[in-house]
Amino acid sequence: MLYKKLGKPLLFRMDPEKAHHLTIDGLSAVSRFPGGKQLLKSMYGVAPSSKMAQHLWGLQFANPIGLAAGLDKNAKAVKGFSQLGFGFMEVGTITPKPQPGNELPRLFRLPEDKALINRMGFNNVGTDEMARNLQKTGKRDIPVAINIGKNKITPNEQAEEDYRACIRELYTYGDFFVVNISSPNTPDLRNLQHGNDLKRLLDAVTAEMQLQQKKSGGTGKPVLVKIAPDLTDAELELTVHAIKDSGISGIIATNTTLSRDGLVHTNRGQAGGLSGRPLTERSTEVIKRVYQLTEGKLPIIGAGGIFTAQDAYDKIKAGASLVEVYTGLIYEGPGLLNRLNKGLQELLQRDGYSHISQAIGADQN
């Protein structure tokens, strides 16, 4: 209620990107104060439930709701986000060199559509600065994935070098990694989802992960690939087969869309990736198809338009082991995490499931 009555009206009167920075900086500051983490946890934390906990890729997830990449781009507020009730979170997208991203304005709200359009363009501080931020974070309460991309000036033919550099610089700090080849805001990036480009990139990524594992002397870390919702079925089939063959650990479905179907807000004409409610159905369709193509053997993280427990449950039943929120959090506030977790437990009980894992892919049977 605090967010709906006070926080949201205030933030929604501000420029969207300024509101974004204020949120990240505020969360970062609160978590550094003595007692700040406890305060956040007491206000928004989610009570653990054995029904919701899962062990995937050698990692423990207290619940299946994660934070999608793009909100904490530079890993400044990991401590703060960790107290809000997330089961895991992504930071990034990060690139080897810092880059300013696209020209302002580049983030737009579409309240009537419960959506956002962004054309940020991988604005970030680079791997060196992110490493420092993650080092300062210290011991973490939830698994943190590092979402990696290529610099705008790096041609696709050399893209794998950027992804390798990100892994090399940040391997120590990530619990798992996400290869972002599906943002619509870096020219030609989505071409890396296809054919030889994809095979070459994934071979380089898996080789670098193995190299860093040997150097660290630890167990291997999972690496996932994030795909676009705008692939045709034929493209999706080829992409998923290439990912399967490469030994990648899982798939995130999906990134933002270029579609503008059914939008009513005046910002609908803005260029960039659309997220939020208009993506709910399409991302669930892609999850279902990916689950079929992988025969349920490759864990999927579902993302796109999750505002209610039913939205999350639909993605889980379509085949997602975990789900992520972003735009729903902007519109609904941090109380969303509690509502999603409680609602999911009620839906599991209604359908006679004693554990979340029993619902994964249930719509496929």
Side-chain angles (χ1 to χ4, degrees):
M1 289 307 288
L2 186 69
Y3 180 78
K4 284 277 174 84
K5 288 207 153 100
L6 192 66
K8 188 179 171 184
L10 183 70
L11 290 169
F12 271 54
R13 274 202 294 271
M14 295 172 70
D15 167 77
E17 194 166 345
K18 281 186 180 149
H20 178 121
H21 290 307
L22 181 69
T23 304
I24 298 297
D25 292 344
L27 207 48
S28 174
V30 170
S31 65
R32 286 200 305 271
F33 289 145
K37 274 173 68 175
Q38 287 74 11
L39 176 68
L40 288 169
K41 196 168 191 171
S42 68
M43 285 172 75
Y44 296 113
V46 170
S49 162
S50 58
K51 290 178 184 176
M52 302 290 275
Q54 291 179 86
H55 199 69
L56 280 170
W57 309 299
L59 298 168
Q60 190 62 31
F61 296 85
N63 71 65
I65 318 289
L67 177 67
L71 204 54
D72 194 0
K73 285 176 175 291
N74 301 312
K76 276 178 79 175
V78 171
K79 263 188 193 171
F81 278 117
S82 300
Q83 307 311 309
L84 301 183
F86 287 106
F88 68 102
M89 69 179 287
E90 280 190 69
V91 296
T93 298
I94 197 79
T95 56
K97 297 185 186 78
Q99 61 182 25
N102 295 324
E103 284 178 22
L104 301 168
R106 53 194 181 180
L107 181 59
F108 306 89
R109 299 186 191 100
L110 294 79
E112 289 93 328
D113 301 301
K114 283 200 165 177
L116 297 172
I117 289 175
N118 94 79
R119 51 170 181 265
M120 305 299 281
F122 288 174
N123 56 311
N124 72 92
V125 294
T127 52
D128 287 354
E129 184 77 14
M130 181 183 267
R132 281 191 286 275
N133 290 344
L134 286 167
Q135 200 169 16
K136 275 187 256 175
T137 301
K139 189 178 179 300
R140 301 191 298 247
D141 300 318
I142 58 173
V144 174
I146 300 176
N147 186 300
I148 58 176
K150 77 171 188 74
N151 281 110
K152 188 177 179 178
I153 57 168
T154 305
N156 276 9
E157 300 74 50
Q158 291 159 30
E160 64 263 32
E161 293 312 315
D162 276 15
Y163 288 91
R164 287 189 91 131
C166 289
I167 294 165
R168 203 161 47 240
E169 301 298 322
L170 295 166
Y171 187 83
T172 317
Y173 304 104
D175 294 305
F176 62 110
F177 287 80
V178 178
V179 177
N180 188 349
I181 47 172
S182 51
S183 167
N185 301 316
T186 295
D188 300 327
L189 183 77
R190 285 188 166 193
N191 294 340
L192 293 172
Q193 295 180 110
H194 311 296
N196 290 335
D197 279 350
L198 179 61
K199 187 185 181 315
R200 193 178 70 240
L201 175 64
L202 297 183
D203 285 349
V205 163
T206 49
E208 191 62 48
M209 291 296 287
Q210 285 161 6
L211 186 65
Q212 294 308 317
Q213 182 198 336
K214 274 184 195 151
K215 278 189 182 174
S216 70
T219 53
K221 294 183 179 185
V223 59
L224 286 74
V225 175
K226 188 169 191 175
I227 62 172
D230 303 326
L231 296 167
T232 65
D233 196 56
E235 287 170 340
L236 185 61
E237 210 168 312
L238 291 169
T239 299
V240 170
H241 284 312
I243 292 168
K244 252 172 68 180
D245 294 345
S246 69
I248 290 287
S249 319
I251 292 172
I252 301 186
T254 64
N255 211 317
T256 56
T257 181
L258 290 170
S259 167
R260 296 292 185 266
D261 290 351
L263 299 182
V264 296
H265 193 276
T266 50
N267 280 336
R268 65 185 180 272
Q270 293 292 345
L274 175 78
S275 61
R277 178 51 81 201
L279 193 54
T280 308
E281 213 171 291
R282 176 58 186 159
S283 62
T284 304
E285 282 170 12
V286 175
I287 292 161
K288 195 166 191 172
R289 191 72 188 111
V290 171
Y291 188 87
Q292 288 164 358
L293 291 166
T294 57
E295 297 166 333
K297 291 174 186 161
L298 207 57
I300 300 163
I301 299 179
I306 295 174
F307 286 76
T308 67
Q310 188 65 55
D311 296 334
Y313 195 47
D314 289 345
K315 284 176 169 41
I316 290 163
K317 288 197 298 175
S321 298
L322 304 166
V323 295
E324 291 179 336
V325 296
Y326 182 124
T327 306
L329 190 70
I330 307 296
Y331 280 94
E332 302 293 317
L336 175 67
L337 282 307
N338 240 315
R339 290 199 298 279
L340 291 178
N341 274 282
K342 280 182 182 162
L344 275 174
Q345 288 176 65
E346 286 164 13
L347 289 164
L348 289 174
Q349 194 173 355
R350 182 199 72 188
D351 291 348
Y353 298 126
S354 57
H355 192 266
I356 190 84
S357 59
Q358 294 168 310
I360 298 165
D363 276 355
Q364 305 274 5
N365 302 330

